[in-house]
Amino acid sequence: AIMSSEKNEHFKVYEQPLEGGFRSLRFSPALEIEFRQDYLALIRGRVVSCLIAVIVLMAWVMVTREPKPAGSAIDPIAAQLLTWGMRPLSLILMVIALVPLLYRRLWVTAAPLLLGGMAIIGSYSAAQKVASGNTDVFIAMVCGYLGMYMLAGLMFWQVLAVGTMTTVAYLFFLQAAGAPAEAIGFEAFIICAMTGLAIIFIYNLEHTLRRSFLQQHALEHLSNVDALTGLKNRRVFEESLEMLWKQGMRDKQPIGMILIDVDHFKNYNDLYGHAAGDRCLKTIGGLLRGAVKRPLDMAARLGGEEFALLCYGSTRKHVSALAESVRRAVVDANIPHAASSAAEQVTVSVGAVFVQPGIGRSSQSLYQFADEALYAAKSNGRNRVEVLDDGYSNIVTGAFKVN
């Protein structure tokens, strides 16, 4: 299992099943939904290719097969099932697979039901032919079942259910059609062995895919978050800022940025020790994580004792209120700080800016504008909020103030 000395709740979602195992091939409800979305995206190319191959094969058979001799016996029930069962089910299955929206929403639940119905219809037709002496159709049926199990993207529990139901149905239809006992025994052995091997194969394949899913997402999470606080790291923050800046230009939406710096943090570390300093930063990180409530907003640790919040499509009033609520939350945490000249407890200086992205400016200049606001908060006594939305056009990119 992937280990980390600083674990957070999001990472544990992936780590716990890696450590505890998942023999039942099921995750927690939220994680199961996430896995199935990834799984559907992974297998879609295979499913579509399989269906196209089936369509081509069916077209080839229809063009090349010889006409049936006049008076040849055709089982009327099999003919009706083919016309009113197999063909509609096949059409519905193809439509779901080929339409992306339907595929994402319906494939996991609809595919096993449709394939199960088609398999039972095929079993009935095959049993009638085998009972009348055409044993070659059994080979075609086995190949069809293998294709269904391996290529249609069914998961283990679905293969187990469909495979068991199809096997029982086929053997029942053979018995009902009056097939010879030796034929039933032989074909029962073959179809049970084939189904059993397919179930074992699908179980091992899905187990491997689930483990790979957990490991990949755990590693991605570790590379995107700050290990100490669980917030996004600076790299992700800068990438998100650039993305939101471009999106804001397209959608004509403003962006707010809030920079937070812990006042006299070096003095805090010197007095209380680095372990206490880490606990202090983790507490502040938790407060910032709780402050982010909208989908495109973000909290990040930029490094050391500096944090940041991004607010997309907000208002100046909201950005200002959020900045003040962060400052007040840190004060209310009441972490003693005897080496601070700003207060008797740990405090933060907060610089907030609110701008409309435009041509000729960049996300880097927005960050620098926020740094100007933070510098003003520190210069004016710390433990305060400074909000700027004027003077942005005068910012010279690259000329940061140093406190």
Coordinates of all heavy atoms in Angstrom, one line a residue, residues 84-94 113-119 121:
W84 N -38.7 -10.7 -32.4 CA -39.2 -9.8 -31.4 C -38.3 -9.7 -30.1 O -38.7 -8.9 -29.2 CB -40.6 -10.2 -31.0 CG -41.5 -10.2 -32.2 CD1 -42.0 -11.3 -32.8 CD2 -42.0 -9.1 -32.9 NE1 -42.8 -11.0 -33.9 CE2 -42.8 -9.6 -34.0 CE3 -41.9 -7.7 -32.8 CZ2 -43.4 -8.8 -34.9 CZ3 -42.5 -6.9 -33.7 CH2 -43.3 -7.4 -34.7
G85 N -37.3 -10.5 -30.0 CA -36.4 -10.4 -28.8 C -35.0 -10.1 -29.2 O -34.5 -9.0 -28.8
M86 N -34.3 -10.9 -29.9 CA -32.9 -10.7 -30.1 C -32.6 -9.4 -30.9 O -31.7 -8.7 -30.5 CB -32.3 -11.9 -30.9 CG -30.8 -11.9 -31.1 SD -29.9 -12.1 -29.6 CE -30.0 -13.9 -29.4
R87 N -33.3 -9.2 -31.9 CA -33.0 -8.0 -32.8 C -33.3 -6.7 -32.0 O -32.4 -5.8 -32.0 CB -33.8 -8.1 -34.1 CG -33.3 -9.1 -35.0 CD -34.2 -9.3 -36.2 NE -33.6 -10.4 -37.1 CZ -34.3 -10.9 -38.1 NH1 -35.5 -10.4 -38.4 NH2 -33.8 -11.8 -38.9
P88 N -34.4 -6.5 -31.3 CA -34.6 -5.3 -30.6 C -33.6 -5.1 -29.5 O -33.1 -4.0 -29.3 CB -36.0 -5.4 -30.0 CG -36.7 -6.4 -30.9 CD -35.6 -7.3 -31.4
L89 N -33.3 -6.2 -28.8 CA -32.3 -6.1 -27.7 C -30.9 -5.7 -28.2 O -30.2 -4.9 -27.7 CB -32.2 -7.4 -26.9 CG -33.4 -7.8 -26.1 CD1 -33.2 -9.2 -25.4 CD2 -33.7 -6.8 -25.0
S90 N -30.5 -6.3 -29.4 CA -29.3 -5.9 -30.0 C -29.2 -4.5 -30.4 O -28.2 -3.8 -30.2 CB -29.0 -6.8 -31.3 OG -29.0 -8.2 -30.9
L91 N -30.3 -4.0 -31.0 CA -30.4 -2.6 -31.4 C -30.3 -1.6 -30.2 O -29.6 -0.6 -30.3 CB -31.7 -2.3 -32.2 CG -32.0 -0.9 -32.7 CD1 -30.9 -0.5 -33.7 CD2 -33.3 -0.8 -33.3
I92 N -31.0 -1.9 -29.2 CA -30.9 -1.1 -28.0 C -29.5 -1.1 -27.4 O -29.0 0.0 -27.0 CB -31.9 -1.6 -26.9 CG1 -33.4 -1.4 -27.4 CG2 -31.7 -0.8 -25.6 CD1 -34.4 -2.1 -26.5
L93 N -28.9 -2.3 -27.4 CA -27.5 -2.3 -26.8 C -26.6 -1.5 -27.7 O -25.7 -0.8 -27.1 CB -27.1 -3.8 -26.9 CG -25.7 -4.1 -26.2 CD1 -25.9 -4.0 -24.7 CD2 -25.3 -5.5 -26.5
M94 N -26.7 -1.5 -29.0 CA -25.8 -0.8 -29.8 C -26.0 0.7 -29.7 O -25.1 1.5 -29.7 CB -26.0 -1.2 -31.3 CG -25.6 -2.6 -31.6 SD -25.9 -3.1 -33.3 CE -25.3 -4.8 -33.3
L113 N -28.4 -6.7 -18.3 CA -29.8 -7.1 -18.5 C -30.0 -7.5 -20.0 O -30.6 -8.5 -20.3 CB -30.7 -6.0 -18.1 CG -30.7 -5.7 -16.6 CD1 -31.6 -4.5 -16.3 CD2 -31.1 -6.9 -15.8
L114 N -29.5 -6.6 -20.9 CA -29.7 -6.8 -22.3 C -28.9 -8.1 -22.8 O -29.5 -8.9 -23.5 CB -29.3 -5.6 -23.1 CG -30.1 -4.3 -22.9 CD1 -29.4 -3.1 -23.5 CD2 -31.5 -4.5 -23.4
L115 N -27.7 -8.2 -22.4 CA -26.9 -9.3 -22.8 C -27.4 -10.6 -22.2 O -27.4 -11.7 -22.8 CB -25.4 -9.1 -22.4 CG -24.7 -8.0 -23.2 CD1 -23.3 -7.7 -22.5 CD2 -24.4 -8.5 -24.6
G116 N -27.9 -10.5 -20.9 CA -28.5 -11.7 -20.3 C -29.7 -12.2 -21.1 O -29.9 -13.4 -21.4
G117 N -30.6 -11.2 -21.5 CA -31.8 -11.6 -22.3 C -31.4 -12.2 -23.7 O -32.0 -13.2 -24.1
M118 N -30.4 -11.6 -24.3 CA -29.9 -12.1 -25.6 C -29.3 -13.5 -25.4 O -29.5 -14.4 -26.3 CB -28.9 -11.1 -26.2 CG -29.5 -9.8 -26.6 SD -28.2 -8.5 -26.9 CE -27.3 -9.3 -28.3
A119 N -28.6 -13.7 -24.3 CA -28.0 -15.0 -24.1 C -29.0 -16.1 -23.9 O -28.9 -17.2 -24.4 CB -27.0 -14.9 -22.9
I121 N -32.1 -16.1 -25.1 CA -32.7 -16.3 -26.4 C -31.8 -17.2 -27.3 O -32.3 -18.1 -27.9 CB -33.1 -15.0 -27.1 CG1 -34.1 -14.2 -26.3 CG2 -33.5 -15.2 -28.5 CD1 -34.4 -12.8 -26.8

